[in-house]
Amino acid sequence: MNNDQRAKIPDAPLSDNERLKGESNYLYGEIAADLNDGITGGFNGDDFQLIRFHGMYEQDDRDVRAQRQAAKLEPLKNVMMRCRLPGGIITPQQWLGIDEFATAHTLYGSIRLTTRQTFQFHGVLKQDIKPMHQWLHQLGLDSIATAGDINRNVLCTSNPVESSLHREAYEWACRISEHLLPRTHAYADIWLDGEKVLSSELDAPLSAGVSGDAVEPINGKTYLPRKFKTALVIPPLNDVDLHANDLNFVAIGENGHLVGFNVLVGGGLSIDHGNQRTFPNTAKDFGFIPVEQVLRCAEAVVTTQRDWGNRSDRKNARTRYTLQRVGVDVFKQEVERRQGFAFAPSRPYTLTERGDRIGWVEGEDGHWHLTLFIENGRLLDYPGRPLKTGMRELARIHQGDFRLTANQNVIVAGVLPENKEKIECIAREYRLIDDEVTEQRKNSMACVALPTCPLAMAESERFLSGFIDQVDELMAKNGLAKEHIILRVTGCPNNCGRALLAEIGLIGKAIGRYNLYVGGNRAGTRIPRLFRENIDVDEIMLILQEWIARWAQERLDAEDFGDFAIRAGIVKPVVDAAVDFWDPDKVPVSHSI
């Protein structure tokens, strides 16, 4: 049996998304006409899905949904727009531009930093959507392919210390992002009246025509089976959570310069409550490639997943499910065939931490970098904490760049020594630096959830701050005020907040109720296990009270909480989530951490 035969899925009807992509005329659909439909604030038919490929999701304000329904009004429909920002780097001038748009043309006025190392506008009304894209274009930005069945925004470790290595890795993140973009001119034609943008000016792909499609040689007429995420990691910092991504390049340096990457494939975290055909998993190591082969490798992995992924069941369509179905070795062999060379053995590396280095660090080039903690990534002017205004004031004087992190924070990067005091004074004046923020709060994270996300089952962002107040009390009570647990909350099992790589993770089940997971590790290389299902906050706090007290009393040396939870038998470790995520009894008896 050859590889293509092994990859074939038993005959099953295609999902409707495959129809709408195929009939979309390469993502044009009827979006341009739909923009002129003043009867609704949303998009009709297939366009509701197609706008995602252009970087937007249709949403409505769920806090006022019932009120508007009672008044016989349509829900307050709007879009969330996510910018394409590979590596998370943005100039101060661009920041001032996005600040101006958020203030004047969105319902909420905020800038939201995301776990995908970029920013989102929430609450853009229909009449402002086209002007928004034109505004971004004038700033040198776009939102192409930040949603939909396509390679999403490419992440890169926000390493402010090893500047030469980071610069090289960041350049590859940008090149990968550009190489895997759609070639269709739909974005330019619909939003920019045909003005050229980067995605329409790309060189031909390395394997032009591999899909047999003249317009989309990499992505094909129906694009990928499901979303696809890519990240570059610079060890020992795993701030981008490599195991949450379909494709990962782990940077290997020699003498401060990049020589190549270890390639890991098939990570991902989204699940479906109770659906045992879904599971999170860590990425599988394929081997080492020299730096000059990065684009060829990226294209080979993407096109293999394009051709072999499940187009019938969208809940079973991500790369990790393809690996499970055909086998890791078979998938790897096909990638090697398409890229035209074999992987070399992986080079050694170590991952030790994930959190951002809050505060000042000095780079090897003598420049300083200030990482600002932004709780939940939400930049808005709060009473006594005018964070959004503070960022605006920093942008007006800063001569370096800003680096958004995958932990929803922002780095004021490349500060000259003579400007360091001025930057710090502004950051403190606007409470962007707050010495009272605990280590636990710095290492906790939540997705957006209510009121804007249509998928949210429970609160997340609005829940986290008060929840951490209670956790902080437990930590201090047990003499652990300077310690932390990697703690994350998501409003639904899609896991935008990456709770399934946390030491303690909460996943929303219903309003006020969550599934509680425990047992991930500090480095982000182990999936946590479900401990208790569908419980309220009071029960969660009683459980955490017991766990944290035991951790304080029984830990070995500086043992991290996730490792303690496994050693103490609170849960069994997840060894291979494709096998044992839903059934702990399938953990091999011989396994030990």
Side-chain angles (χ1 to χ4, degrees), residues 216-291:
E216 294 285 12
I218 295 178
N219 291 295
K221 187 176 182 180
T222 53
Y223 297 86
L224 303 185
R226 201 69 167 82
K227 61 187 174 183
F228 191 96
K229 297 181 178 180
T230 302
L232 281 76
V233 183
I234 305 175
L237 189 59
N238 183 24
D239 59 339
V240 299
D241 267 331
L242 74 90
H243 290 295
N245 301 284
D246 298 81
L247 174 60
N248 303 273
F249 295 96
V250 178
I252 304 298
E254 291 181 1
N255 301 317
H257 291 284
L258 189 66
V259 295
F261 295 93
N262 291 342
V263 178
L264 285 81
V265 177
L269 304 180
S270 57
I271 60 171
D272 194 27
H273 283 315
N275 181 355
Q276 296 193 18
R277 296 188 68 245
T278 67
F279 53 85
N281 216 348
T282 52
K284 308 307 178 186
D285 192 327
F286 276 25
F288 175 83
I289 60 169
V291 69

Side-chain angles (χ1 to χ4, degrees), residues 544-565:
L544 296 192
Q545 180 176 331
E546 177 188 346
W547 286 356
I548 291 171
R550 287 189 60 190
W551 181 42
Q553 296 165 9
E554 302 172 23
R555 67 193 301 208
L556 303 178
D557 299 322
E559 186 177 32
D560 297 326
F561 177 80
D563 291 341
F564 164 77

Side-chain angles (χ1 to χ4, degrees), residues 1-9 307-309 322 325-326 330:
M1 182 182 294
N2 62 36
N3 283 355
D4 285 333
Q5 290 172 322
R6 289 193 63 172
K8 182 176 174 59
I9 299 171
D307 295 342
W308 288 10
T322 311
R325 191 181 76 249
V326 306
V330 170

Side-chain angles (χ1 to χ4, degrees), residues 60-61 64-76:
D60 76 282
D61 189 328
V64 300
R65 186 185 287 175
Q67 174 186 341
R68 291 179 66 88
Q69 185 178 26
K72 301 190 183 312
L73 296 172
E74 179 183 68
L76 185 55

